[in-house]
Amino acid sequence: MGSMGPSNAVVDPTPLFSSRVQKWEPGAIRSLLPLEALPGMISLVAGKPSPETFPIAEIAITLKGAAAGKDRIIALQYGLPRGDAGLIRVCLCGGSRLSRRESTALMRTEELIHRVMQVFTDPGDPVLLETGVVGFLRADGQELIPVYSDAHGLNPASLEQTLSTWPSDSPRPKVLYTTPTGSNPTGQSCTESRKAEILRLAKRFNFIVLEDDAYYYLNYGDEKHRARSYLALEREVNEDSGRVVRFDSLSKIVSPGMRLGILTAPAAVVDKVTRITENINLQPSSTTQLIALSLLRHWGHAGFLTHCAEAAEVYRRRRNLFIAAAERHLQGRATWVVPMAGMFIWLELQLPPGEDTFELLKKQVTKNGVLAIPGGAFMPGGENTSYIRVSFSLVSERDMDEACRRIAGLVDGCACTS
């Protein structure tokens, strides 16, 4: 008679996996983070905010048994799917770009973008896409249509060409996704005149502009000459509104650990996003919402803008240091556009034809000792590219110089072996 003891057999569930989940790819950034621990490695990978910009000096937790204030109960209890009403009021009333014609919801920005995409698109639908959010779109099965950008941001002439020559027997794109300020990964910012042209195209071809503007407040330029948002421009340009859905984020200007983003959109859109939230994760975190509300009330709108200006100055100084290092080591080996916002620089390495930065970094990472994101990670089709995205948000001045020297060695080594 066989043993009646416990079996060590483990059932393999992978044959039962859906075809949908097989389409999810490793995150381009997260998959590289373990390599940061290698001795001597200099990482230009993650766009993590500099801790010196964090406005909270201490978080205190008082355990049960102390006075149970109303705020504690709110922070630990279920809340509304759209987010805390007080925080929503602060977001609507405090921002000059936010209009009372729109409604607002709170959540992680990535979740909000995903849910808005679900509101407007079905699997297989075409999506006009600047570089950026591609992982979940690939997995959801949308057809990704790249839109050309240059040093002045998204190019409306290229967009018009794409839409004007769209096959008459194919469904037209209903959505354009763009990151107009300090774009991730390119660092480019779209001019106000281009935004106006793109808004006219949105009306002419009847599509929605998804304005993902996480770096809006990390702008190094004079606020008086800063390009207004698509949301703020729409009524002036088109004499109507409703084709802009805007995403703001507290991650880069307050704390990424809060995981709080702000959706501003027509009420009908917010209602659908809220319906999805009710059925998936019920609500955004009550605890982090209370922290954000307390901070914003403490600051007031003027104090919030002062903090943002101080944070932007931190990154402006870091940008200048990195550009100086690049000029010392990468002249003739790479080209770049000096960003006016954000925390990224998009380096085009002068590689032999056909050489891909993903393969180059993969082969040389441990030998050369520098980490960056290969450009293909941001391309809708995952095509080969000679670009890399570098982040200057956390790197010391000394490591910036050494990183640029090592990137130069990568380019020189590739040229010698071609």
Side-chain angles (χ1 to χ4, degrees):
M1 187 170 179
S3 171
M4 299 298 291
S7 170
N8 291 324
V10 177
V11 175
D12 179 10
T14 57
L16 302 178
F17 283 176
S18 68
S19 58
R20 175 170 53 184
V21 80
Q22 308 283 11
K23 297 177 183 177
W24 284 91
E25 300 172 354
I29 296 176
R30 298 302 183 269
S31 61
L32 290 173
L33 293 182
L35 297 174
E36 290 183 325
L38 293 175
M41 183 65 69
I42 298 176
S43 176
L44 307 172
V45 169
K48 297 177 182 177
S50 173
E52 65 184 292
T53 68
F54 293 167
I56 298 173
E58 182 179 352
I59 297 176
I61 298 176
T62 303
L63 298 179
K64 198 169 181 178
K70 180 182 177 183
D71 284 349
R72 178 183 70 84
I73 296 171
I74 292 172
L76 299 177
Q77 187 55 278
Y78 282 123
L80 298 174
R82 274 185 56 197
D84 179 79
L87 183 54
I88 287 173
R89 280 195 298 273
V90 169
C91 293
L92 280 172
C93 298
S96 60
R97 297 166 295 98
L98 303 187
S99 163
R100 294 185 183 276
R101 294 187 297 273
E102 285 81 29
S103 185
T104 301
L106 307 171
M107 191 72 62
R108 290 191 317 116
T109 305
E110 294 87 348
E111 286 181 312
L112 290 169
I113 296 169
H114 189 198
R115 289 173 191 186
V116 169
M117 286 289 186
Q118 289 180 297
V119 171
F120 286 105
T121 68
D122 291 304
D125 282 355
V127 173
L128 298 164
L129 187 74
E130 219 179 357
T131 52
V133 179
V134 294
F136 70 74
L137 291 176
R138 285 181 185 147
D140 285 352
Q142 279 89 346
E143 180 188 3
L144 307 183
I145 311 299
V147 180
Y148 176 69
S149 298
D150 57 27
H152 304 289
L154 196 150
N155 190 313
S158 173
L159 178 59
E160 182 176 21
Q161 174 69 16
T162 296
L163 293 169
S164 298
T165 58
W166 196 265
S168 58
D169 57 347
S170 297
R172 301 189 67 86
K174 295 184 289 182
V175 167
L176 164 68
Y177 172 84
T178 180
T179 53
T181 309
S183 172
N184 179 12
T186 67
Q188 301 158 352
S189 296
C190 193
T191 64
E192 191 167 303
S193 61
R194 283 196 171 186
K195 288 180 180 178
E197 291 184 64
I198 291 160
L199 285 168
R200 294 186 190 101
L201 291 174
K203 183 172 184 177
R204 176 181 162 192
F205 292 100
N206 195 27
F207 61 83
I208 301 294
V209 177
L210 303 190
E211 180 179 27
D212 182 6
D213 221 357
Y215 301 96
Y216 178 85
Y217 288 106
L218 293 187
N219 196 309
Y220 317 139
D222 182 355
E223 187 174 357
K224 294 179 181 178
H225 300 97
R226 188 176 301 173
R228 287 175 288 174
S229 69
Y230 284 100
L231 184 66
L233 283 168
E234 184 183 18
R235 182 165 289 273
E236 176 184 316
V237 171
N238 284 341
E239 298 182 344
D240 60 16
S241 62
R243 293 186 183 86
V244 176
V245 171
R246 181 177 172 84
F247 306 92
D248 287 277
S249 174
L250 297 184
S251 287
K252 308 301 183 184
I253 52 177
V254 177
S255 160
M258 285 185 175
R259 312 312 294 139
L260 268 180
I262 305 159
L263 164 68
T264 307
V269 177
V270 173
D271 287 346
K272 289 299 185 185
V273 169
T274 303
R275 182 69 53 84
I276 296 171
T277 299
E278 291 170 346
N279 284 276
I280 294 180
N281 61 325
L282 302 184
Q283 63 163 104
S285 165
S286 299
T287 308
T288 55
Q289 287 183 91
L290 180 64
I291 294 172
L293 177 58
S294 301
L295 183 62
L296 293 173
R297 281 176 172 168
H298 170 72
W299 272 336
H301 187 53
F304 168 75
L305 293 179
T306 297
H307 167 76
C308 292
E310 291 171 351
E313 177 61 18
V314 169
Y315 296 113
R316 187 191 67 81
R317 292 196 303 267
R318 288 180 173 273
R319 175 208 62 179
N320 290 348
L321 291 171
F322 194 94
I323 292 297
E327 289 175 344
R328 284 193 295 272
H329 297 289
L330 294 176
Q331 291 285 0
R333 298 179 174 97
T335 59
W336 58 88
V337 173
V338 178
M340 294 304 297
M343 52 183 66
F344 305 116
I345 295 176
W346 192 230
L347 291 177
E348 183 176 15
L349 305 186
Q350 302 301 295
L351 302 177
E355 188 71 41
D356 178 43
T357 51
F358 177 82
E359 290 299 322
L360 178 63
L361 291 169
K362 181 179 177 181
K363 289 184 291 187
Q364 297 291 331
V365 63
T366 55
K367 176 183 176 183
N368 196 265
V370 64
L371 281 176
I373 303 293
F378 302 98
M379 300 298 176
E383 55 267 33
N384 288 358
T385 175
S386 57
Y387 285 95
I388 59 172
R389 190 204 79 177
V390 302
S391 172
F392 51 81
S393 61
L394 288 180
V395 190
S396 68
E397 182 177 3
R398 178 179 177 180
D399 280 351
M400 288 180 188
D401 189 82
E402 178 62 18
C404 288
R405 190 190 68 78
R406 293 180 185 184
I407 293 170
L410 271 177
V411 176
D412 291 345
C414 189
C416 290
T417 57
S418 64

